[in-house]
Coordinates of all heavy atoms in Angstrom, one line a residue:
Y98 N -17.6 -19.1 -28.3 CA -18.6 -19.5 -27.4 C -18.6 -21.0 -27.1 O -18.8 -21.5 -26.0 CB -20.0 -19.1 -27.9 CG -20.2 -17.6 -27.8 CD1 -20.5 -16.8 -29.0 CD2 -19.9 -16.8 -26.7 CE1 -20.6 -15.5 -29.0 CE2 -20.0 -15.5 -26.6 CZ -20.3 -14.8 -27.8 OH -20.4 -13.4 -27.7
S99 N -18.3 -21.8 -28.1 CA -18.2 -23.2 -27.9 C -17.0 -23.6 -27.0 O -17.2 -24.3 -26.0 CB -18.0 -23.9 -29.3 OG -17.8 -25.3 -29.1
N100 N -15.9 -23.1 -27.4 CA -14.7 -23.5 -26.6 C -14.6 -22.9 -25.2 O -14.4 -23.6 -24.2 CB -13.4 -23.2 -27.4 CG -12.2 -23.8 -26.7 OD1 -12.2 -24.9 -26.3 ND2 -11.1 -23.0 -26.5
N101 N -15.0 -21.6 -25.1 CA -14.8 -20.9 -23.9 C -16.0 -21.0 -22.9 O -15.8 -20.8 -21.7 CB -14.5 -19.4 -24.1 CG -13.2 -19.2 -24.9 OD1 -12.5 -20.1 -25.3 ND2 -12.8 -17.9 -25.0
V102 N -17.2 -21.2 -23.5 CA -18.4 -21.2 -22.7 C -19.0 -22.5 -22.6 O -19.1 -23.1 -21.5 CB -19.4 -20.1 -23.2 CG1 -20.6 -20.1 -22.3 CG2 -18.8 -18.7 -23.3
S103 N -19.4 -23.1 -23.7 CA -20.0 -24.5 -23.6 C -19.1 -25.5 -23.0 O -19.5 -26.3 -22.2 CB -20.4 -25.0 -25.0 OG -21.1 -24.0 -25.7
G104 N -17.8 -25.4 -23.4 CA -16.8 -26.3 -22.8 C -16.7 -26.1 -21.3 O -16.6 -27.1 -20.5
L105 N -16.9 -24.9 -20.8 CA -16.8 -24.6 -19.4 C -18.0 -25.2 -18.7 O -17.9 -25.8 -17.6 CB -16.7 -23.1 -19.2 CG -16.4 -22.7 -17.7 CD1 -15.1 -23.2 -17.2 CD2 -16.5 -21.1 -17.7
V106 N -19.2 -25.1 -19.3 CA -20.4 -25.7 -18.7 C -20.2 -27.2 -18.6 O -20.4 -27.8 -17.5 CB -21.6 -25.4 -19.6 CG1 -22.8 -26.2 -19.1 CG2 -21.9 -23.9 -19.6
E107 N -19.7 -27.9 -19.6 CA -19.5 -29.3 -19.6 C -18.5 -29.7 -18.5 O -18.7 -30.7 -17.8 CB -19.1 -29.8 -21.0 CG -20.2 -29.8 -22.0 CD -21.5 -30.3 -21.5 OE1 -21.5 -31.4 -20.9 OE2 -22.5 -29.6 -21.5
L108 N -17.5 -28.9 -18.4 CA -16.4 -29.1 -17.4 C -17.1 -29.1 -16.0 O -16.8 -30.0 -15.2 CB -15.3 -28.1 -17.5 CG -14.1 -28.2 -16.5 CD1 -13.4 -29.6 -16.7 CD2 -13.2 -27.1 -16.7
F109 N -17.9 -28.1 -15.7 CA -18.5 -28.0 -14.4 C -19.5 -29.1 -14.2 O -19.7 -29.5 -13.0 CB -19.0 -26.6 -14.2 CG -18.0 -25.7 -13.5 CD1 -17.2 -24.9 -14.3 CD2 -17.9 -25.6 -12.2 CE1 -16.2 -24.2 -13.7 CE2 -16.9 -24.9 -11.6 CZ -16.1 -24.1 -12.3
R110 N -20.2 -29.5 -15.2 CA -21.2 -30.6 -15.0 C -20.5 -31.8 -14.5 O -20.9 -32.6 -13.7 CB -21.9 -30.9 -16.3 CG -22.9 -29.9 -16.8 CD -23.2 -30.0 -18.3 NE -24.2 -31.0 -18.6 CZ -25.5 -30.6 -18.7 NH1 -25.9 -29.5 -18.3 NH2 -26.4 -31.5 -19.1
F111 N -19.2 -31.9 -15.0 CA -18.4 -33.1 -14.7 C -17.7 -33.0 -13.3 O -17.6 -34.0 -12.6 CB -17.4 -33.2 -15.8 CG -16.2 -34.0 -15.5 CD1 -16.1 -35.3 -15.5 CD2 -15.0 -33.2 -15.3 CE1 -14.9 -36.0 -15.2 CE2 -13.8 -33.9 -15.0 CZ -13.8 -35.3 -15.0
L112 N -17.4 -31.8 -12.9 CA -16.5 -31.6 -11.7 C -17.1 -32.2 -10.4 O -16.4 -32.7 -9.6 CB -16.2 -30.1 -11.5 CG -15.2 -29.5 -12.4 CD1 -14.9 -28.1 -12.0 CD2 -13.9 -30.3 -12.4
D113 N -18.4 -32.1 -10.3 CA -19.0 -32.6 -9.0 C -18.9 -34.1 -8.9 O -19.0 -34.7 -7.8 CB -20.5 -32.2 -8.9 CG -20.6 -30.7 -8.6 OD1 -19.5 -30.2 -8.2 OD2 -21.6 -30.1 -8.7
S114 N -18.7 -34.8 -10.1 CA -18.6 -36.3 -10.0 C -17.1 -36.7 -9.7 O -16.8 -37.9 -9.7 CB -19.0 -36.9 -11.3 OG -18.1 -36.5 -12.3
V115 N -16.2 -35.8 -9.6 CA -14.8 -36.1 -9.3 C -14.4 -35.4 -8.1 O -15.0 -34.6 -7.5 CB -13.9 -35.8 -10.5 CG1 -14.2 -36.8 -11.6 CG2 -14.1 -34.4 -11.0
S116 N -13.1 -35.6 -7.7 CA -12.6 -35.1 -6.4 C -12.1 -33.7 -6.4 O -11.4 -33.3 -5.4 CB -11.5 -36.1 -6.0 OG -10.5 -35.9 -7.0

Side-chain angles (χ1 to χ4, degrees):
Y98 290 124
S99 171
N100 189 44
N101 295 9
V102 180
S103 312
L105 188 62
V106 170
E107 288 317 307
L108 181 62
F109 268 90
R110 289 159 88 84
F111 154 79
L112 284 184
D113 285 347
S114 65
V115 288
S116 59

